[in-house]
Amino acid sequence: MLLLLLLLVASSSLSQEGVLADVPPSNKLVFILAGQSNMAGRGGVVANRWDGVVPGDCAPSPAVLRLSPDLRWEEAREPLHAGIDAANHAVGVGPGMAFANALLRSGRAGGAVVGLVPCAVGGTRMAEWGRGTELYAEMLRRARVAVETGGRIGALLWYQGESDTVRWSDATEYGRRMGMLVRDLRADLGIPHLLVIQVGLASGLGQYTQVVRDAQKGIKLRNVRFVDAMGLPLQDGHLHLSTQAQVQLGRMLAQSYLNYGHAHSPTPKPWWLQIVLVFCFIFV
């Protein structure tokens, strides 16, 4: 009876926070998707209208969930950032769904459900993502809800910086601000070694794109990876990745995550050493 009461109280608490009381399985592997328009997804968006084309790599799956704007887990589908990005921005295909499906296809997601937490907002500068800002607070709130409803954060996927190429002051401050963001988010989530996979800019709004790219490459914090989008096709020839480019980027992000997991997996002990340890445990 006591256990039943505790479960009822917990369920009531979750409902009051706007999270589904009947949350999905507790083995969710969670990824935070943050940054600006190319993370939010503009693939297939022409004249501020999405063409509705969903590549096979981005197809919905019962094993891929998203945390909705009202903090409810639901089956993820394109456009992943619908209701998250600014209301006046048309959203299309981003890298998130292709990333999740590539991770599942690898068979190395540990049998977990992949939980995507979209947080990106188009047109934002790095200064708008620092601790104390509305964007940072919302990202942190959504990440915490994802964990509290049965999730383990695998990584932050970060694609941002195009807006910081306009002004020299923003471009030259990019590295310091990004470093602070990583440190603050790790501290506030209580995950000191949180993996951060940042995407190197493929384009920019101003003349200082290379300055920001150099800053991205120059971040030396532990567990910060760099995936380069430079050279991926731009659908408008200027700023936003095409649908196929987003699919390719999603695969690249998945490979980076899988490579990280392989590099940090414990080295298995040789078979003969395992036998020796068993005998020692039994007879000593």
PDB file of all heavy atoms in Angstrom, residues 137-167:
ATOM      1  N   ALA A 137      17.720  29.090 -19.857  1.00  0.00           N
ATOM      2  CA  ALA A 137      16.813  28.592 -18.820  1.00  0.00           C
ATOM      3  C   ALA A 137      15.840  27.565 -19.393  1.00  0.00           C
ATOM      4  O   ALA A 137      15.549  26.542 -18.760  1.00  0.00           O
ATOM      5  CB  ALA A 137      16.053  29.756 -18.186  1.00  0.00           C
ATOM      6  N   GLU A 138      15.336  27.818 -20.594  1.00  0.00           N
ATOM      7  CA  GLU A 138      14.394  26.884 -21.222  1.00  0.00           C
ATOM      8  C   GLU A 138      15.082  25.576 -21.605  1.00  0.00           C
ATOM      9  O   GLU A 138      14.522  24.494 -21.420  1.00  0.00           O
ATOM     10  CB  GLU A 138      13.753  27.540 -22.441  1.00  0.00           C
ATOM     11  CG  GLU A 138      12.716  26.691 -23.145  1.00  0.00           C
ATOM     12  CD  GLU A 138      11.473  26.405 -22.315  1.00  0.00           C
ATOM     13  OE1 GLU A 138      11.330  26.980 -21.212  1.00  0.00           O
ATOM     14  OE2 GLU A 138      10.642  25.598 -22.780  1.00  0.00           O
ATOM     15  N   MET A 139      16.282  25.682 -22.152  1.00  0.00           N
ATOM     16  CA  MET A 139      17.042  24.475 -22.487  1.00  0.00           C
ATOM     17  C   MET A 139      17.304  23.637 -21.244  1.00  0.00           C
ATOM     18  O   MET A 139      17.130  22.410 -21.249  1.00  0.00           O
ATOM     19  CB  MET A 139      18.364  24.859 -23.158  1.00  0.00           C
ATOM     20  CG  MET A 139      19.280  23.676 -23.442  1.00  0.00           C
ATOM     21  SD  MET A 139      20.765  24.130 -24.405  1.00  0.00           S
ATOM     22  CE  MET A 139      21.566  25.298 -23.291  1.00  0.00           C
ATOM     23  N   LEU A 140      17.706  24.290 -20.163  1.00  0.00           N
ATOM     24  CA  LEU A 140      17.984  23.590 -18.913  1.00  0.00           C
ATOM     25  C   LEU A 140      16.719  22.951 -18.347  1.00  0.00           C
ATOM     26  O   LEU A 140      16.733  21.798 -17.896  1.00  0.00           O
ATOM     27  CB  LEU A 140      18.582  24.571 -17.895  1.00  0.00           C
ATOM     28  CG  LEU A 140      19.001  23.992 -16.549  1.00  0.00           C
ATOM     29  CD1 LEU A 140      20.086  22.949 -16.719  1.00  0.00           C
ATOM     30  CD2 LEU A 140      19.482  25.112 -15.622  1.00  0.00           C
ATOM     31  N   ARG A 141      15.618  23.671 -18.399  1.00  0.00           N
ATOM     32  CA  ARG A 141      14.346  23.140 -17.893  1.00  0.00           C
ATOM     33  C   ARG A 141      13.929  21.900 -18.673  1.00  0.00           C
ATOM     34  O   ARG A 141      13.543  20.880 -18.091  1.00  0.00           O
ATOM     35  CB  ARG A 141      13.260  24.208 -17.995  1.00  0.00           C
ATOM     36  CG  ARG A 141      11.884  23.754 -17.469  1.00  0.00           C
ATOM     37  CD  ARG A 141      10.897  24.915 -17.478  1.00  0.00           C
ATOM     38  NE  ARG A 141      10.401  25.202 -18.799  1.00  0.00           N
ATOM     39  CZ  ARG A 141       9.136  24.964 -19.198  1.00  0.00           C
ATOM     40  NH1 ARG A 141       8.268  24.419 -18.359  1.00  0.00           N
ATOM     41  NH2 ARG A 141       8.749  25.276 -20.410  1.00  0.00           N
ATOM     42  N   ARG A 142      14.022  21.952 -19.978  1.00  0.00           N
ATOM     43  CA  ARG A 142      13.620  20.826 -20.804  1.00  0.00           C
ATOM     44  C   ARG A 142      14.546  19.632 -20.600  1.00  0.00           C
ATOM     45  O   ARG A 142      14.096  18.482 -20.549  1.00  0.00           O
ATOM     46  CB  ARG A 142      13.582  21.253 -22.279  1.00  0.00           C
ATOM     47  CG  ARG A 142      12.438  22.227 -22.570  1.00  0.00           C
ATOM     48  CD  ARG A 142      12.475  22.769 -23.997  1.00  0.00           C
ATOM     49  NE  ARG A 142      12.377  21.737 -25.011  1.00  0.00           N
ATOM     50  CZ  ARG A 142      11.258  21.102 -25.334  1.00  0.00           C
ATOM     51  NH1 ARG A 142      10.122  21.391 -24.708  1.00  0.00           N
ATOM     52  NH2 ARG A 142      11.255  20.184 -26.283  1.00  0.00           N
ATOM     53  N   ALA A 143      15.837  19.893 -20.460  1.00  0.00           N
ATOM     54  CA  ALA A 143      16.784  18.801 -20.213  1.00  0.00           C
ATOM     55  C   ALA A 143      16.501  18.123 -18.873  1.00  0.00           C
ATOM     56  O   ALA A 143      16.547  16.891 -18.770  1.00  0.00           O
ATOM     57  CB  ALA A 143      18.210  19.344 -20.246  1.00  0.00           C
ATOM     58  N   ARG A 144      16.190  18.909 -17.858  1.00  0.00           N
ATOM     59  CA  ARG A 144      15.903  18.336 -16.542  1.00  0.00           C
ATOM     60  C   ARG A 144      14.630  17.499 -16.560  1.00  0.00           C
ATOM     61  O   ARG A 144      14.570  16.429 -15.948  1.00  0.00           O
ATOM     62  CB  ARG A 144      15.796  19.457 -15.504  1.00  0.00           C
ATOM     63  CG  ARG A 144      17.152  20.016 -15.085  1.00  0.00           C
ATOM     64  CD  ARG A 144      17.009  21.230 -14.193  1.00  0.00           C
ATOM     65  NE  ARG A 144      18.289  21.626 -13.597  1.00  0.00           N
ATOM     66  CZ  ARG A 144      18.505  22.767 -12.983  1.00  0.00           C
ATOM     67  NH1 ARG A 144      17.506  23.674 -12.891  1.00  0.00           N
ATOM     68  NH2 ARG A 144      19.680  23.053 -12.466  1.00  0.00           N
ATOM     69  N   VAL A 145      13.607  17.977 -17.266  1.00  0.00           N
ATOM     70  CA  VAL A 145      12.367  17.202 -17.380  1.00  0.00           C
ATOM     71  C   VAL A 145      12.642  15.871 -18.073  1.00  0.00           C
ATOM     72  O   VAL A 145      12.116  14.826 -17.683  1.00  0.00           O
ATOM     73  CB  VAL A 145      11.291  18.008 -18.129  1.00  0.00           C
ATOM     74  CG1 VAL A 145      10.111  17.106 -18.517  1.00  0.00           C
ATOM     75  CG2 VAL A 145      10.789  19.156 -17.269  1.00  0.00           C
ATOM     76  N   ALA A 146      13.483  15.909 -19.109  1.00  0.00           N
ATOM     77  CA  ALA A 146      13.807  14.680 -19.830  1.00  0.00           C
ATOM     78  C   ALA A 146      14.448  13.651 -18.912  1.00  0.00           C
ATOM     79  O   ALA A 146      14.151  12.451 -18.987  1.00  0.00           O
ATOM     80  CB  ALA A 146      14.743  15.002 -20.999  1.00  0.00           C
ATOM     81  N   VAL A 147      15.312  14.110 -18.031  1.00  0.00           N
ATOM     82  CA  VAL A 147      15.972  13.200 -17.083  1.00  0.00           C
ATOM     83  C   VAL A 147      14.987  12.721 -16.023  1.00  0.00           C
ATOM     84  O   VAL A 147      14.944  11.536 -15.677  1.00  0.00           O
ATOM     85  CB  VAL A 147      17.180  13.897 -16.429  1.00  0.00           C
ATOM     86  CG1 VAL A 147      17.753  13.045 -15.310  1.00  0.00           C
ATOM     87  CG2 VAL A 147      18.251  14.188 -17.475  1.00  0.00           C
ATOM     88  N   GLU A 148      14.185  13.634 -15.503  1.00  0.00           N
ATOM     89  CA  GLU A 148      13.248  13.292 -14.434  1.00  0.00           C
ATOM     90  C   GLU A 148      12.166  12.311 -14.884  1.00  0.00           C
ATOM     91  O   GLU A 148      11.563  11.629 -14.056  1.00  0.00           O
ATOM     92  CB  GLU A 148      12.596  14.568 -13.888  1.00  0.00           C
ATOM     93  CG  GLU A 148      13.562  15.462 -13.107  1.00  0.00           C
ATOM     94  CD  GLU A 148      13.029  16.872 -12.910  1.00  0.00           C
ATOM     95  OE1 GLU A 148      11.875  17.139 -13.337  1.00  0.00           O
ATOM     96  OE2 GLU A 148      13.767  17.705 -12.350  1.00  0.00           O
ATOM     97  N   THR A 149      11.925  12.239 -16.181  1.00  0.00           N
ATOM     98  CA  THR A 149      10.902  11.328 -16.701  1.00  0.00           C
ATOM     99  C   THR A 149      11.533  10.075 -17.302  1.00  0.00           C
ATOM    100  O   THR A 149      10.985   9.472 -18.228  1.00  0.00           O
ATOM    101  CB  THR A 149      10.017  12.027 -17.751  1.00  0.00           C
ATOM    102  OG1 THR A 149      10.852  12.638 -18.743  1.00  0.00           O
ATOM    103  CG2 THR A 149       9.164  13.097 -17.106  1.00  0.00           C
ATOM    104  N   GLY A 150      12.663   9.688 -16.759  1.00  0.00           N
ATOM    105  CA  GLY A 150      13.258   8.414 -17.138  1.00  0.00           C
ATOM    106  C   GLY A 150      14.238   8.479 -18.279  1.00  0.00           C
ATOM    107  O   GLY A 150      14.183   7.645 -19.185  1.00  0.00           O
ATOM    108  N   GLY A 151      15.135   9.444 -18.249  1.00  0.00           N
ATOM    109  CA  GLY A 151      16.113   9.574 -19.321  1.00  0.00           C
ATOM    110  C   GLY A 151      17.522   9.732 -18.808  1.00  0.00           C
ATOM    111  O   GLY A 151      17.748  10.148 -17.674  1.00  0.00           O
ATOM    112  N   ARG A 152      18.460   9.378 -19.668  1.00  0.00           N
ATOM    113  CA  ARG A 152      19.884   9.590 -19.398  1.00  0.00           C
ATOM    114  C   ARG A 152      20.433  10.392 -20.572  1.00  0.00           C
ATOM    115  O   ARG A 152      20.277   9.991 -21.733  1.00  0.00           O
ATOM    116  CB  ARG A 152      20.611   8.253 -19.275  1.00  0.00           C
ATOM    117  CG  ARG A 152      22.128   8.361 -19.168  1.00  0.00           C
ATOM    118  CD  ARG A 152      22.753   6.997 -19.004  1.00  0.00           C
ATOM    119  NE  ARG A 152      22.561   6.144 -20.166  1.00  0.00           N
ATOM    120  CZ  ARG A 152      23.362   6.152 -21.239  1.00  0.00           C
ATOM    121  NH1 ARG A 152      24.386   6.992 -21.304  1.00  0.00           N
ATOM    122  NH2 ARG A 152      23.140   5.327 -22.250  1.00  0.00           N
ATOM    123  N   ILE A 153      21.055  11.533 -20.291  1.00  0.00           N
ATOM    124  CA  ILE A 153      21.532  12.406 -21.367  1.00  0.00           C
ATOM    125  C   ILE A 153      22.793  11.833 -21.995  1.00  0.00           C
ATOM    126  O   ILE A 153      23.789  11.613 -21.310  1.00  0.00           O
ATOM    127  CB  ILE A 153      21.769  13.834 -20.855  1.00  0.00           C
ATOM    128  CG1 ILE A 153      20.443  14.447 -20.372  1.00  0.00           C
ATOM    129  CG2 ILE A 153      22.376  14.704 -21.955  1.00  0.00           C
ATOM    130  CD1 ILE A 153      20.573  15.847 -19.831  1.00  0.00           C
ATOM    131  N   GLY A 154      22.707  11.615 -23.307  1.00  0.00           N
ATOM    132  CA  GLY A 154      23.860  11.096 -24.034  1.00  0.00           C
ATOM    133  C   GLY A 154      24.776  12.195 -24.519  1.00  0.00           C
ATOM    134  O   GLY A 154      26.001  12.045 -24.506  1.00  0.00           O
ATOM    135  N   ALA A 155      24.188  13.321 -24.952  1.00  0.00           N
ATOM    136  CA  ALA A 155      25.012  14.412 -25.483  1.00  0.00           C
ATOM    137  C   ALA A 155      24.160  15.637 -25.747  1.00  0.00           C
ATOM    138  O   ALA A 155      22.938  15.561 -25.876  1.00  0.00           O
ATOM    139  CB  ALA A 155      25.716  13.990 -26.777  1.00  0.00           C
ATOM    140  N   LEU A 156      24.852  16.760 -25.828  1.00  0.00           N
ATOM    141  CA  LEU A 156      24.287  17.993 -26.379  1.00  0.00           C
ATOM    142  C   LEU A 156      24.766  18.095 -27.818  1.00  0.00           C
ATOM    143  O   LEU A 156      25.973  18.057 -28.083  1.00  0.00           O
ATOM    144  CB  LEU A 156      24.764  19.209 -25.581  1.00  0.00           C
ATOM    145  CG  LEU A 156      24.577  20.588 -26.252  1.00  0.00           C
ATOM    146  CD1 LEU A 156      23.095  20.928 -26.390  1.00  0.00           C
ATOM    147  CD2 LEU A 156      25.310  21.678 -25.466  1.00  0.00           C
ATOM    148  N   LEU A 157      23.823  18.189 -28.752  1.00  0.00           N
ATOM    149  CA  LEU A 157      24.163  18.440 -30.156  1.00  0.00           C
ATOM    150  C   LEU A 157      23.959  19.926 -30.420  1.00  0.00           C
ATOM    151  O   LEU A 157      22.845  20.438 -30.292  1.00  0.00           O
ATOM    152  CB  LEU A 157      23.269  17.595 -31.075  1.00  0.00           C
ATOM    153  CG  LEU A 157      23.191  16.092 -30.775  1.00  0.00           C
ATOM    154  CD1 LEU A 157      22.325  15.390 -31.812  1.00  0.00           C
ATOM    155  CD2 LEU A 157      24.579  15.462 -30.710  1.00  0.00           C
ATOM    156  N   TRP A 158      25.019  20.611 -30.799  1.00  0.00           N
ATOM    157  CA  TRP A 158      24.999  22.078 -30.868  1.00  0.00           C
ATOM    158  C   TRP A 158      25.383  22.549 -32.270  1.00  0.00           C
ATOM    159  O   TRP A 158      26.441  22.199 -32.785  1.00  0.00           O
ATOM    160  CB  TRP A 158      25.988  22.640 -29.848  1.00  0.00           C
ATOM    161  CG  TRP A 158      26.087  24.133 -29.842  1.00  0.00           C
ATOM    162  CD1 TRP A 158      27.024  24.900 -30.479  1.00  0.00           C
ATOM    163  CD2 TRP A 158      25.213  25.054 -29.174  1.00  0.00           C
ATOM    164  NE1 TRP A 158      26.787  26.236 -30.245  1.00  0.00           N
ATOM    165  CE2 TRP A 158      25.674  26.361 -29.442  1.00  0.00           C
ATOM    166  CE3 TRP A 158      24.079  24.898 -28.369  1.00  0.00           C
ATOM    167  CZ2 TRP A 158      25.064  27.494 -28.946  1.00  0.00           C
ATOM    168  CZ3 TRP A 158      23.464  26.027 -27.869  1.00  0.00           C
ATOM    169  CH2 TRP A 158      23.952  27.306 -28.149  1.00  0.00           C
ATOM    170  N   TYR A 159      24.496  23.329 -32.899  1.00  0.00           N
ATOM    171  CA  TYR A 159      24.783  23.910 -34.215  1.00  0.00           C
ATOM    172  C   TYR A 159      24.334  25.355 -34.177  1.00  0.00           C
ATOM    173  O   TYR A 159      23.157  25.673 -34.291  1.00  0.00           O
ATOM    174  CB  TYR A 159      24.041  23.134 -35.301  1.00  0.00           C
ATOM    175  CG  TYR A 159      24.467  23.462 -36.730  1.00  0.00           C
ATOM    176  CD1 TYR A 159      23.994  22.689 -37.781  1.00  0.00           C
ATOM    177  CD2 TYR A 159      25.325  24.518 -37.031  1.00  0.00           C
ATOM    178  CE1 TYR A 159      24.360  22.962 -39.094  1.00  0.00           C
ATOM    179  CE2 TYR A 159      25.694  24.799 -38.326  1.00  0.00           C
ATOM    180  CZ  TYR A 159      25.209  24.006 -39.369  1.00  0.00           C
ATOM    181  OH  TYR A 159      25.583  24.280 -40.659  1.00  0.00           O
ATOM    182  N   GLN A 160      25.296  26.254 -34.037  1.00  0.00           N
ATOM    183  CA  GLN A 160      24.992  27.673 -33.863  1.00  0.00           C
ATOM    184  C   GLN A 160      26.232  28.484 -34.209  1.00  0.00           C
ATOM    185  O   GLN A 160      27.342  27.982 -34.119  1.00  0.00           O
ATOM    186  CB  GLN A 160      24.559  27.930 -32.409  1.00  0.00           C
ATOM    187  CG  GLN A 160      24.024  29.310 -32.096  1.00  0.00           C
ATOM    188  CD  GLN A 160      25.132  30.329 -31.828  1.00  0.00           C
ATOM    189  OE1 GLN A 160      26.238  29.946 -31.454  1.00  0.00           O
ATOM    190  NE2 GLN A 160      24.843  31.598 -32.035  1.00  0.00           N
ATOM    191  N   GLY A 161      26.026  29.723 -34.576  1.00  0.00           N
ATOM    192  CA  GLY A 161      27.160  30.605 -34.814  1.00  0.00           C
ATOM    193  C   GLY A 161      27.032  31.475 -36.049  1.00  0.00           C
ATOM    194  O   GLY A 161      27.780  32.445 -36.206  1.00  0.00           O
ATOM    195  N   GLU A 162      26.089  31.169 -36.939  1.00  0.00           N
ATOM    196  CA  GLU A 162      25.936  31.972 -38.152  1.00  0.00           C
ATOM    197  C   GLU A 162      25.672  33.440 -37.823  1.00  0.00           C
ATOM    198  O   GLU A 162      26.184  34.339 -38.490  1.00  0.00           O
ATOM    199  CB  GLU A 162      24.792  31.413 -39.015  1.00  0.00           C
ATOM    200  CG  GLU A 162      25.050  30.031 -39.601  1.00  0.00           C
ATOM    201  CD  GLU A 162      24.534  28.902 -38.721  1.00  0.00           C
ATOM    202  OE1 GLU A 162      24.283  29.157 -37.511  1.00  0.00           O
ATOM    203  OE2 GLU A 162      24.385  27.782 -39.227  1.00  0.00           O
ATOM    204  N   SER A 163      24.867  33.675 -36.775  1.00  0.00           N
ATOM    205  CA  SER A 163      24.548  35.058 -36.399  1.00  0.00           C
ATOM    206  C   SER A 163      25.723  35.775 -35.743  1.00  0.00           C
ATOM    207  O   SER A 163      25.731  37.007 -35.653  1.00  0.00           O
ATOM    208  CB  SER A 163      23.348  35.074 -35.438  1.00  0.00           C
ATOM    209  OG  SER A 163      22.172  34.657 -36.096  1.00  0.00           O
ATOM    210  N   ASP A 164      26.721  35.011 -35.297  1.00  0.00           N
ATOM    211  CA  ASP A 164      27.892  35.614 -34.656  1.00  0.00           C
ATOM    212  C   ASP A 164      28.967  35.991 -35.666  1.00  0.00           C
ATOM    213  O   ASP A 164      30.028  36.484 -35.273  1.00  0.00           O
ATOM    214  CB  ASP A 164      28.468  34.645 -33.624  1.00  0.00           C
ATOM    215  CG  ASP A 164      27.564  34.478 -32.417  1.00  0.00           C
ATOM    216  OD1 ASP A 164      26.665  33.625 -32.465  1.00  0.00           O
ATOM    217  OD2 ASP A 164      27.736  35.228 -31.444  1.00  0.00           O
ATOM    218  N   THR A 165      28.694  35.766 -36.956  1.00  0.00           N
ATOM    219  CA  THR A 165      29.675  36.130 -37.985  1.00  0.00           C
ATOM    220  C   THR A 165      29.490  37.550 -38.490  1.00  0.00           C
ATOM    221  O   THR A 165      30.259  38.015 -39.328  1.00  0.00           O
ATOM    222  CB  THR A 165      29.561  35.162 -39.186  1.00  0.00           C
ATOM    223  OG1 THR A 165      28.297  35.363 -39.850  1.00  0.00           O
ATOM    224  CG2 THR A 165      29.669  33.709 -38.748  1.00  0.00           C
ATOM    225  N   VAL A 166      28.478  38.257 -37.987  1.00  0.00           N
ATOM    226  CA  VAL A 166      28.157  39.600 -38.490  1.00  0.00           C
ATOM    227  C   VAL A 166      29.048  40.655 -37.850  1.00  0.00           C
ATOM    228  O   VAL A 166      29.575  41.545 -38.534  1.00  0.00           O
ATOM    229  CB  VAL A 166      26.668  39.931 -38.243  1.00  0.00           C
ATOM    230  CG1 VAL A 166      26.358  41.361 -38.681  1.00  0.00           C
ATOM    231  CG2 VAL A 166      25.770  38.934 -38.965  1.00  0.00           C
ATOM    232  N   ARG A 167      29.214  40.561 -36.523  1.00  0.00           N
ATOM    233  CA  ARG A 167      29.977  41.581 -35.791  1.00  0.00           C
ATOM    234  C   ARG A 167      31.294  40.995 -35.290  1.00  0.00           C
ATOM    235  O   ARG A 167      31.319  39.879 -34.758  1.00  0.00           O
ATOM    236  CB  ARG A 167      29.153  42.118 -34.614  1.00  0.00           C
ATOM    237  CG  ARG A 167      27.895  42.848 -35.065  1.00  0.00           C
ATOM    238  CD  ARG A 167      27.226  43.598 -33.927  1.00  0.00           C
ATOM    239  NE  ARG A 167      26.810  42.728 -32.844  1.00  0.00           N
ATOM    240  CZ  ARG A 167      25.959  43.087 -31.886  1.00  0.00           C
ATOM    241  NH1 ARG A 167      25.473  44.320 -31.865  1.00  0.00           N
ATOM    242  NH2 ARG A 167      25.609  42.245 -30.935  1.00  0.00           N
TER     243      ARG A 167
END
